[in-house]
Amino acid sequence: FCGPPKTIPHASLRLNKQYYIGQVLHFKCQSGFDKRPPTSGTRTCKKVNDQVIWTPLDMQCTNDSS
């Protein structure tokens, strides 16, 4: 099992208590903080070299459009 993932500022995610290997979480920027793409992303619970990790999430939620 993976533990809870780190949260992302201004992104919404429903948290469970346990996450199984292979589970994919979908993150989405909150309204007003979706000015810079990508505004949504996924993280996957994986086992790598006997460690259970979350894949990185390549998104930023910001209200800065520059």
Side-chain angles (χ1 to χ4, degrees):
F1 288 97
C2 282
K6 286 193 174 115
T7 55
I8 304 238
H10 312 297
S12 55
L13 170 71
R14 273 179 279 165
L15 288 174
N16 295 328
K17 290 213 165 52
Q18 288 187 313
Y19 300 91
Y20 52 86
I21 291 174
Q23 184 165 1
V24 178
L25 298 183
H26 296 270
F27 289 80
K28 186 167 172 43
C29 290
Q30 295 168 351
S31 182
F33 290 94
D34 52 3
K35 302 284 191 279
R36 193 186 300 171
T39 60
S40 63
T42 59
R43 296 186 85 171
T44 306
C45 178
K46 283 188 174 177
K47 189 169 189 178
V48 179
N49 298 330
D50 290 330
Q51 284 191 309
V52 181
I53 59 148
W54 286 106
T55 58
L57 182 65
D58 185 23
M59 66 179 272
Q60 284 186 313
C61 297
T62 176
N63 59 3
D64 174 19
S65 57
S66 62

Coordinates of all heavy atoms in Angstrom, one line a residue:
F1 N 0.8 -1.2 0.0 CA 0.0 0.0 0.0 C 0.9 1.3 0.0 O 1.9 1.3 0.6 CB -0.9 0.0 1.2 CG -2.0 -1.0 1.2 CD1 -1.9 -2.2 1.9 CD2 -3.2 -0.7 0.6 CE1 -2.9 -3.1 1.9 CE2 -4.2 -1.6 0.5 CZ -4.1 -2.8 1.2
C2 N 0.4 2.3 -0.7 CA 1.0 3.6 -0.6 C 0.4 4.4 0.6 O -0.8 4.2 0.9 CB 0.8 4.4 -1.8 SG 1.9 4.0 -3.2
G3 N 1.1 5.2 1.2 CA 0.5 6.2 2.2 C -0.1 7.3 1.5 O -0.1 7.4 0.2
P4 N -0.7 8.2 2.2 CA -1.4 9.4 1.6 C -0.4 10.2 0.8 O 0.8 10.4 1.3 CB -2.0 10.2 2.7 CG -1.9 9.3 3.9 CD -0.9 8.3 3.7
P5 N -0.7 10.6 -0.4 CA 0.2 11.4 -1.2 C 0.3 12.8 -0.6 O -0.6 13.3 0.1 CB -0.4 11.5 -2.6 CG -1.9 11.3 -2.3 CD -2.0 10.5 -1.1
K6 N 1.4 13.5 -1.0 CA 1.6 14.9 -0.6 C 0.5 15.7 -1.4 O 0.2 15.4 -2.5 CB 2.9 15.4 -1.0 CG 4.0 14.9 -0.1 CD 5.3 15.7 -0.3 CE 6.3 15.3 0.7 NZ 7.5 14.7 0.2
T7 N -0.1 16.7 -0.7 CA -1.1 17.5 -1.4 C -0.4 18.6 -2.2 O 0.8 18.9 -1.9 CB -2.1 18.1 -0.4 OG1 -1.3 18.8 0.6 CG2 -2.9 17.0 0.3
I8 N -1.1 19.1 -3.1 CA -0.6 20.2 -4.0 C -1.4 21.5 -3.7 O -2.6 21.4 -3.5 CB -0.9 19.8 -5.5 CG1 -0.2 18.5 -5.7 CG2 -0.4 20.9 -6.4 CD1 0.7 18.3 -6.7
P9 N -0.7 22.6 -3.5 CA -1.5 23.8 -3.2 C -2.5 24.1 -4.2 O -2.2 24.1 -5.4 CB -0.4 24.9 -3.2 CG 0.9 24.2 -3.0 CD 0.7 22.8 -3.6
H10 N -3.7 24.4 -3.8 CA -4.9 24.8 -4.6 C -5.4 23.7 -5.5 O -6.1 24.0 -6.5 CB -4.5 26.1 -5.4 CG -3.9 27.2 -4.6 ND1 -4.5 27.8 -3.6 CD2 -2.7 27.7 -4.7 CE1 -3.7 28.7 -3.1 NE2 -2.6 28.7 -3.7
A11 N -5.0 22.5 -5.3 CA -5.5 21.4 -6.0 C -6.4 20.5 -5.1 O -6.2 20.4 -3.9 CB -4.4 20.5 -6.6
S12 N -7.5 20.0 -5.7 CA -8.4 19.2 -4.9 C -8.2 17.7 -5.1 O -7.8 17.3 -6.2 CB -9.8 19.6 -5.3 OG -10.1 19.4 -6.6
L13 N -8.3 16.9 -4.1 CA -8.2 15.5 -4.1 C -9.0 14.9 -2.9 O -8.9 15.4 -1.8 CB -6.7 15.1 -3.9 CG -6.4 13.7 -3.7 CD1 -6.6 12.9 -5.0 CD2 -4.9 13.5 -3.3
R14 N -9.7 13.9 -3.2 CA -10.4 13.2 -2.1 C -9.4 12.1 -1.6 O -8.9 11.3 -2.3 CB -11.6 12.4 -2.7 CG -12.8 13.4 -2.7 CD -14.0 12.7 -3.2 NE -14.0 12.7 -4.6 CZ -14.7 12.0 -5.5 NH1 -15.5 11.1 -5.0 NH2 -14.5 12.0 -6.7
L15 N -9.2 12.2 -0.3 CA -8.2 11.3 0.4 C -8.9 10.1 1.0 O -9.9 10.2 1.6 CB -7.5 12.1 1.5 CG -6.5 13.1 1.1 CD1 -5.9 13.9 2.3 CD2 -5.3 12.5 0.3
N16 N -8.2 8.9 0.7 CA -8.6 7.7 1.4 C -7.6 7.4 2.5 O -6.7 8.1 2.7 CB -8.6 6.6 0.4 CG -9.7 6.7 -0.7 OD1 -10.7 7.3 -0.5 ND2 -9.3 6.3 -1.9
K17 N -7.8 6.3 3.2 CA -6.9 5.9 4.2 C -5.8 5.0 3.6 O -4.6 5.2 4.0 CB -7.6 5.1 5.3 CG -8.5 6.1 6.1 CD -8.6 5.6 7.6 CE -9.1 6.6 8.5 NZ -10.4 7.2 8.2
Q18 N -6.1 4.2 2.7 CA -5.1 3.3 2.1 C -5.2 3.4 0.6 O -6.3 3.5 0.0 CB -5.3 1.9 2.5 CG -4.9 1.6 4.0 CD -4.9 0.2 4.3 OE1 -5.8 -0.5 3.9 NE2 -3.9 -0.3 4.9
Y19 N -4.1 3.3 -0.1 CA -4.0 3.3 -1.5 C -3.2 2.1 -2.0 O -2.1 1.8 -1.5 CB -3.3 4.6 -2.0 CG -4.0 5.8 -1.6 CD1 -3.6 6.5 -0.4 CD2 -5.0 6.4 -2.4 CE1 -4.3 7.6 0.0 CE2 -5.6 7.5 -2.0 CZ -5.3 8.1 -0.8 OH -5.9 9.3 -0.4
Y20 N -3.8 1.3 -2.9 CA -3.1 0.1 -3.3 C -2.2 0.3 -4.5 O -2.4 1.3 -5.2 CB -4.2 -1.0 -3.6 CG -5.2 -0.6 -4.6 CD1 -5.0 -0.6 -6.0 CD2 -6.5 0.0 -4.2 CE1 -6.0 -0.2 -6.9 CE2 -7.4 0.4 -5.0 CZ -7.2 0.3 -6.4 OH -8.1 0.7 -7.3
I21 N -1.3 -0.6 -4.7 CA -0.3 -0.5 -5.8 C -1.1 -0.5 -7.1 O -2.0 -1.4 -7.3 CB 0.7 -1.6 -5.7 CG1 1.6 -1.3 -4.5 CG2 1.5 -1.7 -7.0 CD1 2.6 -2.4 -4.2
G22 N -0.8 0.4 -8.0 CA -1.6 0.5 -9.3 C -2.7 1.5 -9.2 O -3.2 1.8 -10.3
Q23 N -3.0 2.0 -8.1 CA -4.1 3.0 -8.0 C -3.6 4.3 -8.5 O -2.5 4.7 -8.3 CB -4.5 3.2 -6.5 CG -5.7 4.1 -6.4 CD -6.4 4.0 -5.0 OE1 -5.9 3.3 -4.1 NE2 -7.4 4.8 -4.8
V24 N -4.5 5.0 -9.3 CA -4.2 6.3 -9.9 C -5.1 7.3 -9.2 O -6.3 7.2 -9.1 CB -4.5 6.2 -11.4 CG1 -4.2 7.6 -12.1 CG2 -3.6 5.1 -12.1
L25 N -4.5 8.4 -8.8 CA -5.2 9.6 -8.3 C -5.2 10.7 -9.3 O -4.2 11.0 -10.0 CB -4.5 10.1 -7.0 CG -4.4 9.1 -5.9 CD1 -3.7 9.8 -4.7 CD2 -5.7 8.6 -5.4
H26 N -6.4 11.3 -9.4 CA -6.6 12.4 -10.4 C -6.6 13.7 -9.6 O -7.5 13.9 -8.7 CB -7.8 12.2 -11.2 CG -7.8 11.0 -12.0 ND1 -7.3 11.0 -13.3 CD2 -8.1 9.7 -11.8 CE1 -7.4 9.8 -13.8 NE2 -7.9 9.0 -12.9
F27 N -5.7 14.6 -9.9 CA -5.7 15.9 -9.2 C -6.3 17.0 -10.2 O -6.0 16.8 -11.4 CB -4.3 16.3 -8.9 CG -3.6 15.6 -7.8 CD1 -3.1 14.3 -8.0 CD2 -3.6 16.1 -6.5 CE1 -2.5 13.6 -7.0 CE2 -3.0 15.4 -5.5 CZ -2.4 14.2 -5.7
K28 N -6.9 18.0 -9.7 CA -7.5 19.0 -10.6 C -7.3 20.3 -9.8 O -7.6 20.4 -8.6 CB -9.0 18.7 -10.9 CG -9.6 19.7 -11.8 CD -10.9 19.2 -12.3 CE -11.7 20.2 -13.2 NZ -10.9 20.9 -14.1
C29 N -6.9 21.4 -10.5 CA -6.7 22.7 -9.9 C -8.1 23.2 -9.5 O -9.1 23.0 -10.3 CB -6.0 23.7 -10.8 SG -4.3 23.3 -11.1
Q30 N -8.2 23.9 -8.4 CA -9.4 24.6 -8.0 C -9.7 25.8 -8.9 O -8.8 26.3 -9.5 CB -9.3 25.0 -6.5 CG -9.1 23.9 -5.6 CD -8.7 24.3 -4.2 OE1 -8.4 25.4 -3.9 NE2 -8.7 23.3 -3.3
S31 N -10.9 26.1 -9.0 CA -11.4 27.2 -9.8 C -10.6 28.5 -9.4 O -10.5 28.8 -8.2 CB -12.9 27.5 -9.6 OG -13.3 28.5 -10.4
G32 N -10.1 29.2 -10.4 CA -9.3 30.4 -10.2 C -7.9 30.2 -10.1 O -7.1 31.1 -10.2
F33 N -7.4 28.9 -9.9 CA -6.0 28.6 -9.9 C -5.6 27.7 -11.1 O -4.7 26.9 -11.0 CB -5.7 27.9 -8.6 CG -5.8 28.8 -7.4 CD1 -7.0 28.9 -6.6 CD2 -4.7 29.6 -7.0 CE1 -7.0 29.7 -5.6 CE2 -4.8 30.4 -5.9 CZ -6.0 30.5 -5.2
D34 N -6.4 27.8 -12.2 CA -6.2 26.9 -13.3 C -5.7 27.8 -14.5 O -6.1 27.5 -15.6 CB -7.4 26.1 -13.6 CG -8.7 27.0 -13.7 OD1 -8.5 28.2 -13.6 OD2 -9.7 26.4 -13.9
K35 N -4.9 28.8 -14.3 CA -4.5 29.6 -15.4 C -3.3 29.1 -16.2 O -3.1 29.5 -17.3 CB -4.1 31.0 -14.8 CG -5.2 31.7 -14.0 CD -6.3 32.2 -14.9 CE -7.3 33.1 -14.2 NZ -8.3 32.4 -13.5
R36 N -2.5 28.2 -15.6 CA -1.3 27.8 -16.3 C -1.4 26.3 -16.5 O -1.4 25.5 -15.5 CB -0.1 28.1 -15.5 CG 1.2 28.0 -16.3 CD 2.4 28.2 -15.4 NE 2.5 29.5 -14.9 CZ 3.4 29.9 -14.0 NH1 4.2 29.1 -13.5 NH2 3.3 31.2 -13.5
P37 N -1.4 25.8 -17.7 CA -1.5 24.3 -18.0 C -0.1 23.7 -17.6 O 0.9 24.3 -17.6 CB -1.7 24.2 -19.5 CG -1.3 25.5 -20.1 CD -1.4 26.6 -19.0
P38 N -0.2 22.4 -17.2 CA -1.4 21.6 -17.1 C -2.2 21.8 -15.9 O -1.6 22.1 -14.8 CB -0.8 20.1 -17.1 CG 0.5 20.3 -16.5 CD 1.0 21.6 -16.9
T39 N -3.5 21.8 -16.0 CA -4.3 22.1 -14.8 C -4.9 20.9 -14.1 O -5.7 21.0 -13.2 CB -5.5 23.1 -15.2 OG1 -6.3 22.4 -16.2 CG2 -5.0 24.4 -15.8
S40 N -4.5 19.7 -14.6 CA -4.8 18.5 -13.9 C -3.7 17.5 -14.2 O -2.9 17.7 -15.0 CB -6.2 17.9 -14.5 OG -6.0 17.6 -15.9
G41 N -3.7 16.4 -13.4 CA -2.7 15.5 -13.5 C -3.0 14.2 -12.7 O -4.0 14.2 -12.0
T42 N -2.2 13.2 -12.8 CA -2.4 12.0 -12.1 C -1.1 11.5 -11.4 O 0.0 11.9 -11.8 CB -2.8 10.8 -13.0 OG1 -1.8 10.6 -14.0 CG2 -4.2 11.1 -13.7
R43 N -1.3 10.8 -10.3 CA -0.2 10.1 -9.6 C -0.6 8.7 -9.5 O -1.7 8.4 -9.3 CB 0.1 10.7 -8.3 CG 0.5 12.2 -8.3 CD 0.8 12.6 -6.9 NE 2.2 12.3 -6.6 CZ 2.9 12.7 -5.6 NH1 2.3 13.5 -4.7 NH2 4.1 12.4 -5.4
T44 N 0.4 7.8 -9.6 CA 0.2 6.4 -9.5 C 1.0 5.8 -8.4 O 2.2 6.1 -8.2 CB 0.5 5.7 -10.9 OG1 -0.1 6.3 -11.9 CG2 0.1 4.2 -10.8
C45 N 0.4 4.9 -7.6 CA 1.1 4.2 -6.6 C 1.8 3.0 -7.2 O 1.2 2.2 -7.9 CB 0.0 3.7 -5.6 SG 0.7 2.7 -4.2
K46 N 3.2 3.0 -7.1 CA 4.0 2.0 -7.8 C 5.0 1.3 -6.8 O 5.4 2.0 -5.8 CB 4.8 2.6 -8.9 CG 4.0 2.9 -10.1 CD 5.0 3.3 -11.2 CE 4.3 3.5 -12.6 NZ 5.2 4.0 -13.6
K47 N 5.4 0.1 -7.1 CA 6.5 -0.5 -6.4 C 7.7 -0.4 -7.2 O 7.7 -1.0 -8.4 CB 6.1 -1.9 -6.0 CG 7.1 -2.6 -5.1 CD 6.6 -3.9 -4.6 CE 7.5 -4.4 -3.5 NZ 7.0 -5.6 -2.9
V48 N 8.8 0.2 -6.7 CA 10.0 0.4 -7.5 C 11.2 -0.1 -6.5 O 11.3 0.5 -5.5 CB 10.2 1.8 -7.9 CG1 11.6 2.0 -8.6 CG2 9.1 2.3 -8.8
N49 N 11.9 -1.1 -6.9 CA 13.0 -1.6 -6.1 C 12.6 -1.8 -4.7 O 13.3 -1.4 -3.7 CB 14.2 -0.6 -6.1 CG 14.7 -0.4 -7.5 OD1 14.7 -1.3 -8.3 ND2 15.2 0.8 -7.8
D50 N 11.5 -2.6 -4.5 CA 11.0 -2.9 -3.1 C 10.5 -1.7 -2.3 O 10.3 -1.8 -1.1 CB 12.0 -3.7 -2.3 CG 12.2 -5.1 -2.9 OD1 11.3 -5.6 -3.4 OD2 13.3 -5.6 -2.7
Q51 N 10.4 -0.5 -3.0 CA 9.8 0.6 -2.3 C 8.5 1.0 -3.0 O 8.4 0.9 -4.2 CB 10.8 1.8 -2.4 CG 11.9 1.8 -1.4 CD 12.6 3.1 -1.4 OE1 13.0 3.7 -2.4 NE2 12.8 3.6 -0.2
V52 N 7.5 1.3 -2.1 CA 6.2 1.7 -2.7 C 6.2 3.2 -2.7 O 6.3 3.9 -1.6 CB 5.1 1.1 -1.8 CG1 3.7 1.5 -2.4 CG2 5.2 -0.4 -1.8
I53 N 6.0 3.8 -3.9 CA 6.1 5.3 -4.0 C 5.0 5.8 -4.9 O 4.3 5.0 -5.5 CB 7.5 5.6 -4.8 CG1 7.5 4.9 -6.1 CG2 8.7 5.3 -3.9 CD1 8.3 5.7 -7.2
W54 N 4.8 7.1 -4.8 CA 3.9 7.8 -5.7 C 4.7 8.3 -6.9 O 5.8 8.9 -6.7 CB 3.2 8.9 -5.0 CG 2.1 8.5 -4.1 CD1 2.2 8.5 -2.7 CD2 0.8 8.0 -4.4 NE1 1.0 8.0 -2.2 CE2 0.2 7.7 -3.2 CE3 0.2 7.7 -5.6 CZ2 -1.1 7.2 -3.2 CZ3 -1.1 7.2 -5.6 CH2 -1.7 6.9 -4.4
T55 N 4.2 8.2 -8.1 CA 4.9 8.8 -9.2 C 4.8 10.4 -9.1 O 3.8 10.9 -8.5 CB 4.2 8.4 -10.6 OG1 2.9 8.8 -10.6 CG2 4.4 6.9 -10.8
P56 N 5.7 11.1 -9.7 CA 5.7 12.6 -9.5 C 4.5 13.2 -10.3 O 4.0 12.6 -11.2 CB 7.0 13.0 -10.2 CG 7.8 11.8 -10.4 CD 6.9 10.6 -10.4
L57 N 4.1 14.3 -9.8 CA 2.9 15.0 -10.4 C 3.5 16.3 -11.1 O 4.0 17.1 -10.4 CB 1.9 15.3 -9.4 CG 0.6 16.0 -9.9 CD1 -0.2 15.1 -10.8 CD2 -0.3 16.4 -8.7
D58 N 3.3 16.4 -12.4 CA 3.8 17.6 -13.1 C 2.7 18.6 -13.4 O 2.2 18.7 -14.5 CB 4.5 17.1 -14.4 CG 5.2 18.3 -15.1 OD1 5.5 19.2 -14.4 OD2 5.3 18.1 -16.3
M59 N 2.3 19.3 -12.3 CA 1.3 20.3 -12.5 C 1.5 21.4 -11.4 O 2.0 21.1 -10.3 CB -0.1 19.8 -12.5 CG -0.5 19.2 -11.2 SD -2.2 18.6 -11.1 CE -3.1 20.0 -10.7
Q60 N 1.1 22.6 -11.7 CA 1.1 23.7 -10.7 C -0.2 24.4 -10.8 O -0.7 24.6 -11.9 CB 2.2 24.7 -11.0 CG 3.6 24.2 -10.6 CD 4.6 25.3 -10.8 OE1 4.6 26.0 -11.9 NE2 5.5 25.6 -9.9
C61 N -0.8 24.6 -9.6 CA -2.0 25.4 -9.6 C -1.7 26.8 -9.2 O -1.3 27.0 -8.0 CB -3.0 24.7 -8.7 SG -3.4 23.0 -9.2
T62 N -2.0 27.7 -10.1 CA -1.6 29.1 -9.8 C -2.7 30.0 -10.4 O -3.3 29.7 -11.4 CB -0.2 29.5 -10.3 OG1 0.0 30.8 -10.1 CG2 -0.1 29.2 -11.8
N63 N -2.8 31.2 -9.8 CA -3.7 32.2 -10.4 C -2.9 33.2 -11.2 O -3.4 34.2 -11.6 CB -4.6 32.8 -9.4 CG -3.9 33.5 -8.3 OD1 -2.6 33.6 -8.3 ND2 -4.5 34.1 -7.3
D64 N -1.7 32.9 -11.5 CA -0.8 33.7 -12.3 C -0.7 33.2 -13.7 O -0.3 32.1 -13.9 CB 0.6 33.7 -11.6 CG 1.7 34.4 -12.5 OD1 1.3 35.3 -13.3 OD2 2.9 34.2 -12.3
S65 N -1.2 34.0 -14.6 CA -1.3 33.5 -16.0 C 0.0 33.8 -16.8 O 0.0 33.4 -18.0 CB -2.5 34.2 -16.7 OG -2.3 35.6 -16.7
S66 N 1.0 34.4 -16.2 CA 2.2 34.7 -17.0 C 3.1 33.6 -17.1 O 3.1 32.7 -16.3 CB 2.9 35.9 -16.4 OG 3.4 35.6 -15.1

